Amino acid sequence: MNMKRQIKFILVLTFVLSFFGIKTNAQLKPGDLVDGIAAVVGDEIVLESDVQDQANYAKQQGADVSNKCEFMEGIISNKLLIYEAKRDTLIENRSAAIKENATAKYNQILGQFPNEKTMLDAYKFRTPSEMKTAIEKIDTDNYYGQMKYGRITDKADVTPNEVTDFFNTYRFQLPQVKDEVSLSQIVMYPKLTNEHKDEIIAKLKKIKEDIQNGESFESQARIYSEDPGSAANGGLYKNIARGKMVKPFEAAALNLQEGEISDPVESEFGYHLIQLVKKSGKMYDARHILLKAVPNAAEIATAKKELDSIRSLIINERMTFKEAAFRFSDDKQTKFNAGVITGEDGSDKIEKLNLPPTISYQIAGHHKGEITNVFEETVQDRKMVAIVKINDIIDAHQLDITTDYSRIKQMALNKRKNEMVEKYVKEKLPHIFVSINDRYKDCTFRTDWRKADTGN
């Protein structure tokens, strides 16, 4: 198999690990394959309708699923990992926590659409309940698949010589790098005035008073809470592990008695009323009502003026960008790293096409070493002001080991990991029942899954 096809298979498998999931507790025996079932791996079932639903979901996420055989083989491989993961006593069962997060994820996706019907139509689900169930299954399989994948490939590594060999072997098959940039940023969240804070706190105190006078916490959360992940559920979060929530929230919640309601609590997300529902060992259930700290025009203008002064200090060489990011940036992900923005793969080189529209617009026309003017942006419903420095501009080019060593090393490592997973699958295959519907009989799979059809 050539390198391009192998890389494509790795990408398909990675996508499936990230998004696919249909699980059932039904126990099947060899010969139990029925119409509507695409495949069975151990006691993990993949339905034909689920494959179609997942293909629709994948398309919405921008994945290429045109090759049904490659997509299906990725699903089957992942199901084998999931089947083995559930039998692995070193992998924690997190089904309960995943179930609780399904509604929150549903609401996050909903926020990207004008209304619920548009979202359901786009993802081809009939009802909200059907989509929430699918999200839960996706996350469950994603968790088990990723955990097993990580356990198998934990010790994977490549030496510099192996990276060089990889490059020499596949140099003419490696993809071309598109136009990229390397950027640093300083982000500041506009601060609310004391008067504005007092208004929000007074509103929460009035809500608390209404609850104490007979209104239910659940109904008030549905009416007033601005947390999309819990408002529809009466503000409830269940099975919260210690350390999961931001520190001010957790400290306040765990200092309450069951049923007790806190005074307004400030966090990076805004102001909360918190009610401790239940506490058991390292887990607890809590309800909250969140009022976001949304800055007004005057507060945003003040932040812009402050950041513009910092920009002037940098330009006049009275302070480096790195020093300014460490001292003033509110972005925890970049302030300790000289403000450097990294992509999903951890690299500081980001394709221009993948930049957020606001940043892409702001850096247009700028050259290497320049800093944008202060601009306003909203990320995850939070207002911010920012400046961006263009550290480097990389024109489209063929991957080369002298300039792209870290990226080529990662590709070589991914190949090594893929080989380890393939070896693991082949070792386990003779001992696991696998059955694939005849709809896929014309597929040429990388692994001969049909040898395991009898379970021998």
Side-chain angles (χ1 to χ4, degrees), residues 100-101 104 227-231 233 235-240 244-245 249 277 284-288:
E100 291 300 327
N101 286 332
D227 175 17
S230 69
N233 198 32
L236 180 63
Y237 282 111
K238 296 184 68 176
N239 298 314
I240 306 171
K244 179 179 179 182
M245 308 299 275
F249 183 103
V277 177
Y284 64 100
D285 298 350
R287 295 184 187 274
H288 84 135

Side-chain angles (χ1 to χ4, degrees), residues 83 134 192 294 325-326 330 343 374 394 399 421:
Y83 173 73
L192 272 59
V294 180
F326 179 75
D330 292 325
V374 179
I394 305 104
L399 279 172
V421 172

